[in-house]
Amino acid sequence: MFSPDAAIQGSFPIRNPRRRQRTGSDDSIALRQNPKRRKRSLLAPDTFEPPSVKHINDHAYQPNSTIKINGHPVEERNHRDVSVDTTSLAFRNRATKRTDRERRGSKTDEGSVLTKNENYIVTEVSTLPDQLRDILSTGNISGVQLIRGSAVALTSTQALIWYYAQGAAPTNLSRPMTIKLPSPSNNARHPLPLGALVYDTSAGELGLLVIMPISGKVIYWESVSTAASVDFARQKQQGVNGTVAGMLSGEVITNATEVGPDGFVLTFSTGRVAHLGIKDLQGKPVITTQFLRAQGTSNRGLFGGLKNVFSSASWRKDIAAVRLTPSLAKTQRQTIVSTTKGLFQVWDLNRVTKTLAFEIDAKGALLYSISRTGTDTAVQDDDAFSVLDFAIFPIKAIKNNSFGIFRLLVLTSFAEGPNSSYSLHDLTIQDGSINISVVNPISCYTTPYPQDAQWKPQVVLPDLAQTAFVVFDKSVVMMALAEIEGTPSSQLQKESQLLPEPFQDTLDFRQDRSYYVVGCSAEGTEYGSKNVSCVVLVHGFGMIRVTALPVKEGQSVIERMTVTARTKIEQAVFFGHMPHNLLDFSGRPEIRFEQKDLELAALEINDSIMKSTSDYIPAITPSMDHQLTQRSTALAELIKYFVRNKLQLERLTRWKLLWSAEKMAAAKAVWKSYNASLASKDQEKVSLLPELLDFLHENHKIENQPERGETDIVRHYFIHDIWRIELIVPWAQQAVEELYADGIQDSIRQASLINQADEIQLSTLETAFTFREANLALYGLGHEVVEDGILQEAYENLPEIWTSITEIVTKTKVLADLSRELVINHTDTADEEGKPKLSLLIKMAKDNPRLVHICCQAYDERCRWLKSQPDSRSRADAKALECTFSEVRKRLIVKLVDIDLEDDGMKLAERYHDMQALVDILSQSTEGATNRLQQPGLSDSDGEELNDRIISNQGRVKEYFTKFGNHWATPLYSKYITQGQLIELLNNVGGFQGHLTHFLRSKPTYVRLNWINEVSAERNYAAAADSLNAAQKQETNLWNKKMELSMGKLALLAAKEKEQVQSETAKNMLRKVDRRVAIIEIQEMLYRYARPALRGAIDEMAEADMGMSNLYRNFLKGKPALRHAIDQHMKKLVGRQVLDAEELIDTLTLIDEYTLHSDEEGFADQRFFLALKLLRLTGFERTDPERKALHEKIIWRRCVIQDDWKLINRTELKPDTEVAVETGATALFKTLRAGYKDGLLDLMPPLPPIALLAAGTTPSFLRTSSRYANMSDPILKSIARDLNLEDQLLEEHLNKARLEMWWKGVVNAAKASVRADADREGVERISIEEEKMAVAEIIGEKEGKVNGVMNDTGQEVRDWQGDVVMM
């Protein structure tokens, strides 16, 4: 066992040496104080209270209530009850200057709110003296201790004491009590003094204990108020001095923990501990010290015996914490000491004896409990594991409590790579054994704790023991300790380890400031209160109070056990923008949320701001503009949070947030206009906005309730309903009509109402479009193409845009007309009695171009949105609306001429490149000026002005030719055509023949007119041919295309004759024309073949359906991608629209043989040959070999698998003639025979079946062809899947029907058949060739190539298209 050291160092208070000394106990020497000269303490219990009422920790003082330090009760006797370190390790602060004190947020009774949510609130303690703020910002401070609403902090020369409790009046904050320290150290490297406040409950006095860590000198004042009120010399006399004896060389006192009413436990840098007494047995102040050493052998106990003082291995251990236990009896108080490696000792320390009750090693149990949490730890790694601190639960939190039972909350750390895992263990010590009932891993904080840190992590456990605070150097962790109700559901969750982690969260200090903890303490609570608090003193900032709020009524503990994405984001949004906030809201890497949770949280916060349901923004403020500004700022901070933290949001979410911010900005603009209108005090003015809101349907607003004092309908709307502010835009015009109907007929009020409606629409939409374009980058939409506030493309998956709902599109147009007409109707009578003022009409006229502009913006946006919708109805609506928009825009712009704003109209027309409107404005302006010049009685000045306008308009025409070129020429020349002025068009070109020619060439509909222009004006037949060629490329009608090709061929022949093109070029162009005509002829053949299958159809759609069902019933089964493509091709075919060569190839090769009608042209036998011919006509072998190769393989594969080769392969009992007939009837034989006979296969040899495998069966294979290169992956996968079915059938024929061998035989048979046909016609052909050769000799062209014959060298002859002529 342990026993106290026999040697006790005496201490002597500084008193008059002539006074008789009084001997105290055997262990100490004390001087009797003169009771007659003893002054009454100046520190009464109410010294720091305001005069009206006493407050402790923000609650009215109750005489029977107790103040608790770190969660442990102060019992009603003349000693204090502290179970935490009352001083922190002395250190030198890093000096950081702070130039001034600045406000950090909205003030409350406790001070600035730094952050809050439903779980906790953090406030700045406003009662911190200015002197302490300066020291915390720039000086060195140590010995910080917080007790009973008072605090002490020490510098190297003085101790400062002040009152900080909640509810304190901020009086005398700049004058804390100051006590100068005797014999301060002159060495700046020495640690600063340690200090502790000592509270005497019987006398209501605060005392002060100061310890010098290096020298061991101790001084104790019983009354700080008395010591602070006298000079330095008398301060020294009133203090009791002493020295810690037995300190080793280089040993430093690192901590002093109060362990009773008159004692402290000192811990030393060497690992030793000692008891420091400050009173004797009679309660008189005296300083005594006693090192705690083991009794008996050196291997027992924590620190060994005296003989092992110089054998440091026996006692050198790192002390984690020293705590005083609570107790039911006043005489039964014990102290618990813990080492960093998990060794716990229970000491009985009193004025008489100091013995070790027992010790227990909890390391193994702690490590085991950590491993049960799922943390991957190495239980034997001593260096990784450490006990950092512990707190003791209050007595009422211990079930079946009795003396000797202690319930601890132990903080451990375990180093894991670059991070550390921390845990809070609910550990019970009873009868020398331990039990760990609960382990709460701290998952929200894994920052490693440096061993040389200035602040050691500390556990703060308030008296209710429902929430624990773990105070790190730059962070504070909160963890809920409330037990879960023992319901069957929770029991099942517990057994299956499905219970959620207890609520926990981390408050981080900003990293860009020199903020770190220098002291902390728990705050007691008033009886019945459920709030618990932790007060933290922060270097560089001041003092904060962290208050954990109770669980709300009806909320379960499990529901509380969650840190939601919304909570974290709200804190950053509503408190993160404070420039001098202590806290960092960027988020910790340990707390991460799913993308969907972040998206949902962002939208929920956005919604709460828009509807004023957020707890962080007051719904009612004296200034509506200020409230809107607060909400606007919050919306900006919401998106900035995601930008700063590089968090991803879906595109739709970003747009939704931007739209809300637009609405808020628009609301501010509307309110500003309305507020200015109210300030004008115009008695005759009818305010439109209240009437408008009254007209709104109850489903479109939250009705105000006058019985609850909600009498201001406008403010009520701006508070609750601006999230749907788009509804007031159309109602601005609709309300005017309603008021007209209600009887407002005088023109003055009408003008006022329309003007207000103008302002509402302009304030809303102009602000929104401008805000959108200016803030795209902020919302992560900077890559979006936005012009004039309008998204130009990519409307897919976006909902209807609020700035272009149907009602806005309609009503902005109506209001623009209404406003303009009012100006026109009243301009001549302005300023007359009962008529609008001219100034108001001028303003409305100037606003009209702006109204036209926002109307055009709304139209443009809605058109673009409708076009992007997947349903055909929306796309049809888009086309109709585009036509309407073109007409409305032109009319509104041109109508500006009526109010003499043609210049504004031309600016708008130029903005929208509405050349037709420009043409009409100039035409009307010029025509109007011309007509007015012909009126009699015109003054010279007016005539001169009108002439100038005509000249100016003529100059604009030429200017627009230069500025816009053909874009301007098109509507100008179109006006000539629509007015039937074709002769004027061709004759009065005004030096702009080039623009006219370009205009006519660029319009296929003007091809005949262009032909005339090219022939009569340009004499350019080649250009005419080019124009026709360009027209046929865009032509979708088959007959029109054929005619345009013919006209183009005629133009080419004329150009060749006039040598406008080179002969070889003309030949090539003619060859291309012939090839296109040949493609058209094949389509015509296909149509003639399909036409019998279309009989009986009532329209083209029915024809297409019949064609699909009759011609493609078998081969396309199970091939949805190909069926969809053929369906589109069939619609074109029956609609006499042009199919390109590749579409024709698919249509030909996928068709079934339709045998219900006669095939006079033998089309069914030729369809694969025609497909090959089409492929040859495309010229892909030169321009796109990969494309040609893929199509060629697909054609041959479809040709081969047309027939059942397994049936053909069954040759048993079949004569050769039957086998020959069967093979001769195959599509392969027919295609080979036609190809060899035509000579096509001499240029495109047939491909063997083995070479056709895998063609186009994968998306990557398809992408080798330029036809499929830009298709999306889903479409390519679908096509490849269908083609793979063809490939599987081919492979089956190869494996089971010997197709490769049959193919060779069929090829030879086809060749033999062609040769046999040639032999039968040999005599006739020879005579024909001899005659042709004779003619060639006569005309001297013996060596030339002749179409259809061989030359005299015996070489093969190619025709003019490059095809080989078969002999």
Side-chain angles (χ1 to χ4, degrees):
M1 298 297 293
F2 288 83
S3 64
D5 194 352
I8 301 176
Q9 173 65 31
S11 62
F12 300 89
I14 301 176
R15 292 288 189 270
N16 190 335
R18 290 178 292 182
R19 285 191 175 274
R20 180 174 63 85
Q21 297 181 354
R22 177 180 176 181
T23 305
S25 65
D26 296 337
D27 298 326
S28 63
I29 300 176
L31 294 177
R32 181 175 61 184
Q33 302 182 19
N34 188 350
K36 294 182 180 180
R37 300 186 60 184
R38 183 175 181 180
K39 294 183 178 180
R40 181 181 178 185
S41 172
L42 297 178
L43 185 64
D46 61 348
T47 299
F48 298 100
E49 292 290 350
S52 59
V53 62
K54 298 179 183 180
H55 286 272
I56 295 180
N57 301 326
D58 204 23
H59 302 286
Y61 176 72
Q62 301 286 338
N64 295 328
S65 66
T66 59
I67 302 299
K68 303 176 182 180
I69 307 302
N70 200 16
H72 307 294
V74 176
E75 300 181 7
E76 296 179 3
R77 53 181 173 174
N78 189 22
H79 64 80
R80 41 196 311 242
D81 181 7
V82 180
S83 60
V84 298
D85 292 351
T86 57
T87 59
S88 58
L89 181 64
F91 57 85
R92 298 283 177 183
N93 289 344
R94 299 184 295 273
T96 55
K97 276 197 173 184
R98 187 175 182 181
T99 58
D100 56 358
R101 293 177 56 196
E102 295 167 313
R103 296 180 63 188
R104 299 177 176 86
S106 59
K107 290 290 185 179
T108 66
D109 291 341
E110 299 82 15
S112 301
V113 177
L114 303 180
T115 188
K116 68 176 181 178
N117 55 36
E118 63 177 4
N119 297 327
Y120 57 84
I121 181 172
V122 183
T123 58
E124 181 188 7
V125 178
S126 59
T127 54
L128 188 68
D130 292 344
Q131 184 178 354
L132 262 297
R133 290 185 185 276
D134 296 337
I135 293 176
L136 284 171
S137 299
T138 61
N140 298 320
I141 189 171
S142 72
V144 176
Q145 179 211 6
L146 312 173
I147 177 176
R148 297 183 64 85
S150 299
V152 62
L154 281 76
T155 68
S156 60
T157 60
Q158 60 183 349
L160 298 99
I161 302 98
W162 72 97
Y163 191 70
Y164 71 87
Q166 299 184 38
T171 58
N172 299 324
L173 295 183
S174 61
R175 298 193 300 274
M177 289 187 295
T178 303
I179 300 176
K180 293 185 178 180
L181 303 182
S183 305
S185 174
N186 294 326
N187 193 332
R189 295 183 178 180
H190 285 179
L192 296 175
L194 303 177
L197 291 174
V198 182
Y199 186 72
D200 188 340
T201 57
S202 62
E205 285 280 2
L206 274 179
L208 176 63
L209 177 70
V210 178
I211 304 170
M212 299 299 177
I214 298 294
S215 63
K217 292 181 179 181
V218 181
I219 183 168
Y220 170 61
W221 289 278
E222 283 189 285
S223 173
V224 295
S225 59
T226 303
S229 63
V230 299
D231 55 24
F232 179 61
R234 296 181 65 184
Q235 283 180 356
K236 295 175 63 177
Q237 292 177 357
Q238 292 176 356
V240 180
N241 288 308
T243 303
V244 178
M247 291 179 63
L248 302 177
S249 176
E251 192 173 33
V252 178
I253 303 173
T254 59
N255 233 328
T257 305
E258 186 179 9
V259 294
D262 54 7
F264 290 80
V265 169
L266 306 180
T267 58
F268 296 80
S269 59
T270 57
R272 299 198 296 164
V273 293
H275 181 270
L276 173 68
I278 58 174
K279 291 185 180 180
D280 59 14
L281 294 176
Q282 286 74 36
K284 302 300 180 180
V286 64
I287 304 300
T288 62
T289 56
Q290 172 66 54
F291 279 94
L292 304 182
R293 297 195 179 96
Q295 183 183 31
T297 63
S298 61
N299 293 328
R300 293 292 304 276
L302 176 62
F303 304 106
L306 181 61
K307 68 179 182 178
N308 288 313
V309 170
F310 299 103
S311 177
S312 62
S314 63
W315 48 262
R316 184 181 292 275
K317 299 181 183 295
D318 292 331
I319 303 300
V322 179
R323 299 288 182 265
L324 177 65
T325 65
S327 178
L328 297 173
K330 294 183 178 181
T331 58
Q332 295 179 332
R333 302 298 294 259
Q334 294 177 305
T335 301
I336 300 178
V337 181
S338 170
T339 68
T340 58
K341 294 306 176 184
L343 186 65
F344 290 85
Q345 291 185 328
V346 181
W347 287 81
D348 292 320
L349 302 177
N350 52 56
R351 295 176 182 174
V352 180
T353 62
K354 300 169 179 60
T355 60
L356 176 67
F358 59 87
E359 69 178 10
I360 187 167
D361 189 353
K363 176 182 177 182
L366 292 171
L367 284 172
Y368 177 73
S369 65
I370 293 174
S371 65
R372 290 294 301 275
T373 64
T375 304
D376 187 14
T377 59
V379 296
Q380 302 299 325
D381 190 351
D382 290 344
D383 295 332
F385 172 78
S386 179
V387 173
L388 301 180
D389 191 28
F390 71 91
I392 302 179
F393 282 88
I395 292 176
K396 61 184 178 182
I398 304 175
K399 298 180 180 179
N400 303 322
N401 60 79
S402 61
F403 182 75
I405 300 177
F406 313 109
R407 184 182 175 193
L408 313 181
L409 188 63
V410 183
L411 174 65
T412 64
S413 71
F414 199 97
E416 296 179 299
N419 298 324
S420 294
S421 59
Y422 300 92
S423 301
L424 286 174
H425 305 254
D426 192 337
L427 183 148
T428 301
I429 300 177
Q430 182 178 7
D431 299 331
S433 64
I434 62 170
N435 176 54
I436 300 176
S437 59
V438 178
V439 182
N440 292 321
I442 299 178
S443 59
C444 62
Y445 185 87
T446 59
T447 303
Y449 161 63
Q451 297 300 321
D452 57 347
Q454 296 175 336
W455 172 263
K456 185 176 77 67
Q458 186 168 317
V459 180
V460 178
L461 185 63
D463 54 354
L464 292 181
Q466 293 182 347
T467 302
F469 301 87
V470 182
V471 183
F472 293 90
D473 58 339
K474 294 179 180 293
S475 302
V476 177
V477 174
M478 290 166 287
M479 178 172 286
L481 302 178
E483 296 183 359
I484 299 176
E485 298 178 2
T487 62
S489 175
S490 64
Q491 183 65 26
L492 289 174
Q493 287 181 309
K494 184 175 182 181
E495 292 176 357
S496 58
Q497 296 183 349
L498 296 178
L499 278 175
E501 292 184 352
F503 167 77
Q504 55 180 284
D505 200 1
T506 302
L507 296 171
D508 285 321
F509 300 162
R510 290 174 57 173
Q511 299 298 317
D512 59 342
R513 304 290 180 87
S514 181
Y515 294 151
Y516 49 87
V517 175
V518 295
C520 66
S521 175
E523 282 192 324
T525 58
E526 181 184 3
Y527 180 78
S529 173
K530 296 183 180 181
N531 294 355
V532 293
S533 301
C534 173
V535 179
V536 182
L537 195 62
V538 182
H539 169 268
F541 184 82
M543 184 178 291
I544 63 171
R545 177 178 288 109
V546 185
T547 303
L549 304 177
V551 177
K552 293 182 178 179
E553 184 177 353
Q555 185 183 33
S556 69
V557 176
I558 293 179
E559 290 174 340
R560 180 70 171 267
M561 292 181 176
T562 306
V563 176
T564 64
R566 176 172 179 173
T567 298
K568 302 304 288 184
I569 298 174
E570 280 181 330
Q571 289 178 294
V573 167
F574 296 105
F575 301 98
H577 66 280
M578 299 179 184
H580 303 289
N581 199 322
L582 164 73
L583 302 177
D584 180 7
F585 298 98
S586 59
R588 295 195 59 83
E590 299 89 352
I591 303 178
R592 286 291 178 262
F593 302 99
E594 296 291 335
Q595 176 73 17
K596 61 180 181 180
D597 295 331
L598 292 172
E599 300 269 350
L600 180 61
L603 293 176
E604 288 178 347
I605 296 171
N606 175 79
D607 191 59
S608 69
I609 296 171
M610 295 299 294
K611 297 180 180 179
S612 292
T613 58
S614 173
D615 296 332
Y616 301 98
I617 298 178
I620 301 177
T621 61
S623 171
M624 190 70 243
D625 182 70
H626 176 67
Q627 200 257 8
L628 292 172
T629 300
Q630 281 186 299
R631 292 158 71 186
S632 180
T633 301
L635 291 175
E637 289 300 319
L638 176 60
I639 190 61
K640 289 178 182 178
Y641 171 82
F642 285 88
V643 173
R644 284 193 300 265
N645 294 281
K646 299 180 180 179
L647 299 175
Q648 296 299 317
L649 286 173
E650 294 292 336
R651 176 175 181 258
L652 176 58
T653 303
R654 293 182 180 275
W655 272 108
K656 287 182 177 180
L657 297 180
L658 176 57
W659 292 331
S660 292
E662 294 169 9
K663 292 180 179 181
M664 190 65 66
K668 289 181 64 179
V670 174
W671 174 260
K672 182 178 180 181
S673 175
Y674 172 71
N675 196 44
S677 175
L678 294 179
S680 66
K681 304 295 184 182
D682 188 350
Q683 299 298 327
E684 297 182 357
K685 187 174 184 179
V686 179
S687 186
L688 177 63
L689 191 55
E691 300 291 342
L692 182 159
L693 297 177
D694 187 52
F695 286 136
L696 273 181
H697 192 273
E698 59 184 8
N699 292 337
H700 297 156
K701 64 183 177 182
I702 297 177
E703 293 283 356
N704 58 320
Q705 303 177 22
E707 65 274 10
R708 298 178 55 185
E710 298 173 353
T711 58
D712 191 335
I713 188 174
V714 177
R715 281 181 169 83
H716 188 270
Y717 182 86
F718 276 84
I719 291 171
H720 299 289
D721 290 304
I722 61 172
W723 59 276
R724 43 189 170 188
I725 195 175
E726 63 271 19
L727 297 178
I728 74 170
V729 177
W731 267 98
Q733 184 275 328
Q734 186 65 33
V736 173
E737 293 186 2
E738 296 290 339
L739 292 172
Y740 278 9
D742 287 347
I744 296 180
Q745 299 296 329
D746 63 286
S747 58
I748 293 179
R749 292 192 176 186
Q750 288 178 356
S752 175
L753 290 172
I754 295 175
N755 176 59
Q756 292 178 68
D758 291 349
E759 291 178 348
I760 290 174
Q761 288 195 353
L762 290 172
S763 298
T764 305
L765 296 181
E766 278 189 341
T767 303
F769 287 125
T770 302
F771 184 94
R772 180 183 301 167
E773 193 162 7
N775 290 274
L776 283 170
L778 174 62
Y779 283 81
L781 300 168
H783 61 284
E784 304 272 3
V785 182
V786 174
E787 295 179 5
D788 197 26
I790 306 301
L791 182 65
Q792 301 297 300
E793 58 188 13
Y795 280 87
E796 292 77 10
N797 301 320
L798 292 182
E800 185 179 35
I801 315 301
W802 75 274
T803 47
S804 57
I805 61 175
T806 302
E807 294 80 4
I808 287 180
V809 171
T810 303
K811 295 301 182 180
T812 51
K813 174 194 65 175
V814 174
L815 185 60
D817 284 333
L818 187 63
S819 180
R820 184 188 62 255
E821 291 303 320
L822 185 138
V823 172
I824 294 173
N825 294 335
H826 293 90
T827 299
D828 294 337
T829 60
D831 288 336
E832 294 181 2
E833 184 177 356
K835 299 298 181 180
K837 294 181 179 180
L838 180 61
S839 59
L840 178 61
L841 296 177
I842 292 174
K843 175 186 178 298
M844 294 175 65
K846 290 182 178 179
D847 286 342
N848 202 255
R850 296 167 59 196
L851 290 172
V852 174
H853 183 205
I854 62 173
C855 176
C856 292
Q857 288 175 297
Y859 264 103
D860 187 14
E861 185 173 69
R862 184 153 191 86
C863 287
R864 294 176 186 275
W865 180 78
L866 285 173
K867 285 193 294 185
S868 68
Q869 300 310 298
D871 59 294
S872 57
R873 180 175 180 179
S874 294
R875 292 195 295 271
D877 290 344
K879 292 181 179 179
L881 190 63
E882 278 186 323
C883 295
T884 303
F885 174 37
S886 179
E887 296 173 1
V888 168
R889 181 185 64 209
K890 174 190 171 185
R891 182 179 59 81
L892 291 177
I893 291 175
V894 174
K895 281 290 185 181
L896 292 175
V897 177
D898 296 342
I899 52 176
D900 296 330
L901 292 176
E902 55 263 31
D903 289 341
D904 295 274
M906 284 187 279
K907 288 179 181 178
L908 283 172
E910 290 179 27
R911 177 192 291 270
Y912 287 98
H913 287 75
D914 194 336
M915 300 297 104
Q916 188 62 57
L918 275 176
V919 170
D920 289 348
I921 290 175
L922 286 172
S923 176
Q924 290 186 22
S925 178
T926 302
E927 184 179 353
T930 303
N931 292 336
R932 289 185 62 187
L933 281 173
Q934 297 174 359
Q935 294 177 359
L938 190 67
S939 64
D940 294 339
S941 59
D942 289 342
E944 185 177 352
E945 182 180 350
L946 293 173
N947 281 318
D948 290 341
R949 180 185 297 180
I950 294 173
I951 296 173
S952 174
N953 290 342
Q954 292 173 349
R956 284 181 182 270
V957 171
K958 296 180 179 180
E959 178 186 344
Y960 288 149
F961 269 114
T962 305
K963 185 175 183 179
F964 298 110
N966 291 316
H967 191 46
W968 158 252
T970 298
L972 181 63
Y973 294 141
S974 297
K975 192 172 184 66
Y976 279 102
I977 294 175
T978 56
Q979 293 179 348
Q981 300 175 346
L982 300 182
I983 297 176
E984 289 82 355
L985 172 67
L986 296 175
N987 295 335
N988 300 325
V989 296
F992 299 105
Q993 177 64 48
H995 291 293
L996 176 60
T997 300
H998 182 274
F999 165 71
L1000 295 174
R1001 288 177 178 176
S1002 63
K1003 293 287 186 178
T1005 54
Y1006 302 154
V1007 60
R1008 292 181 178 87
L1009 189 60
N1010 182 46
W1011 175 269
I1012 298 172
N1013 179 69
E1014 295 291 351
V1015 172
S1016 63
E1018 298 291 341
R1019 301 293 193 272
N1020 191 335
Y1021 305 107
D1026 291 339
S1027 178
L1028 287 169
N1029 183 52
Q1032 65 84 25
K1033 288 182 179 179
Q1034 300 176 4
E1035 186 62 62
T1036 58
N1037 183 274
L1038 189 65
W1039 186 87
N1040 290 345
K1041 187 180 181 72
K1042 189 173 184 180
M1043 291 301 298
E1044 288 163 0
L1045 286 170
S1046 300
M1047 292 176 66
K1049 185 174 183 179
L1050 180 62
L1052 279 173
L1053 293 173
K1056 181 180 179 183
E1057 182 179 351
K1058 295 296 183 180
E1059 298 183 350
Q1060 292 178 353
V1061 294
Q1062 295 182 359
S1063 177
E1064 191 65 30
T1065 302
K1067 288 181 179 180
N1068 292 335
M1069 295 176 68
L1070 289 170
R1071 184 180 293 117
K1072 291 180 180 178
V1073 171
D1074 288 342
R1075 287 184 175 181
R1076 294 190 182 108
V1077 172
I1079 294 174
I1080 291 176
E1081 289 297 334
I1082 293 176
Q1083 181 173 342
E1084 292 284 7
M1085 291 176 64
L1086 173 61
Y1087 179 75
R1088 289 193 295 271
Y1089 173 75
R1091 186 165 53 188
L1094 311 179
R1095 292 171 182 168
I1098 60 176
D1099 55 22
E1100 289 186 1
M1101 186 65 69
E1103 286 183 337
D1105 292 340
M1106 290 185 64
M1108 288 297 297
S1109 61
N1110 290 331
L1111 301 177
Y1112 297 94
R1113 68 177 62 182
N1114 297 321
F1115 200 75
L1116 292 180
K1117 287 183 179 179
K1119 301 171 183 177
L1122 294 178
R1123 173 169 287 277
H1124 175 74
I1126 296 302
D1127 183 63
Q1128 300 302 314
H1129 301 166
M1130 181 57 65
K1131 290 177 181 178
K1132 289 184 178 181
L1133 182 67
V1134 300
R1136 309 301 286 150
Q1137 296 180 355
V1138 177
L1139 290 170
D1140 63 33
E1142 291 172 299
E1143 291 173 336
L1144 276 173
I1145 288 173
D1146 284 339
T1147 309
L1148 288 169
T1149 56
L1150 291 174
I1151 199 169
D1152 294 331
E1153 289 194 30
Y1154 184 64
T1155 59
L1156 297 181
H1157 65 282
S1158 60
D1159 183 10
E1160 297 177 355
E1161 296 181 334
F1163 178 82
D1165 295 340
Q1166 300 183 63
R1167 62 187 188 278
F1168 292 104
F1169 164 71
L1170 292 175
L1172 291 171
K1173 190 172 184 180
L1174 280 171
L1175 183 60
R1176 175 68 177 173
L1177 290 172
T1178 61
F1180 285 158
E1181 68 275 3
R1182 296 184 302 274
T1183 60
D1184 198 343
E1186 291 81 6
R1187 195 167 184 173
K1188 180 256 183 185
L1190 177 61
H1191 280 298
E1192 187 176 12
K1193 290 180 180 179
I1194 292 175
I1195 292 170
W1196 280 114
R1197 181 171 63 197
R1198 289 173 180 172
C1199 175
V1200 169
I1201 64 176
Q1202 282 290 312
D1203 299 287
D1204 188 356
W1205 289 100
K1206 290 185 290 184
L1207 181 62
I1208 296 172
N1209 187 57
R1210 297 292 299 273
T1211 58
E1212 56 270 22
L1213 303 179
K1214 293 181 181 179
D1216 289 345
T1217 55
E1218 184 178 351
V1219 174
V1221 170
E1222 289 181 351
T1223 56
T1226 62
L1228 175 62
F1229 178 83
K1230 295 174 183 178
T1231 303
L1232 290 169
R1233 188 176 185 281
Y1236 282 124
K1237 186 174 183 179
D1238 181 78
L1240 178 64
L1241 294 186
D1242 293 331
L1243 301 174
M1244 299 172 58
L1247 300 177
I1250 197 68
L1252 310 179
L1253 289 172
T1257 56
T1258 63
S1260 58
F1261 197 124
L1262 289 174
R1263 287 197 186 278
T1264 60
S1265 171
S1266 59
R1267 182 186 186 188
Y1268 303 103
N1270 297 322
M1271 288 189 180
S1272 63
D1273 288 338
I1275 294 177
L1276 286 182
K1277 289 180 180 179
S1278 180
I1279 296 173
R1281 186 166 50 248
D1282 290 357
L1283 293 177
N1284 190 53
L1285 295 177
E1286 298 178 4
D1287 201 65
Q1288 292 175 6
L1289 183 57
L1290 174 62
E1291 189 172 6
E1292 183 179 355
H1293 288 324
L1294 285 170
N1295 295 334
K1296 297 182 179 181
R1298 301 182 297 171
L1299 178 58
E1300 187 69 23
M1301 299 176 63
W1302 281 105
W1303 180 83
K1304 295 178 181 179
V1306 172
V1307 170
N1308 292 331
K1311 290 180 178 180
S1313 176
V1314 172
R1315 285 195 296 270
D1317 290 346
D1319 290 342
R1320 284 192 298 271
E1321 300 172 358
V1323 175
E1324 182 181 355
R1325 293 195 61 174
I1326 290 173
S1327 63
I1328 292 173
E1329 293 301 326
E1330 288 177 349
E1331 291 178 2
K1332 288 184 178 181
M1333 290 295 294
V1335 172
E1337 290 178 358
I1338 294 173
I1339 62 177
E1341 296 180 355
K1342 296 180 180 181
E1343 297 180 358
K1345 293 183 179 180
V1346 180
N1347 290 340
V1349 299
M1350 294 181 62
N1351 61 19
D1352 58 352
T1353 61
Q1355 296 177 346
E1356 63 186 12
V1357 178
R1358 297 179 183 266
D1359 62 14
W1360 63 274
Q1361 292 183 330
D1363 295 333
V1364 175
V1365 177
M1366 291 297 297
M1367 294 303 298

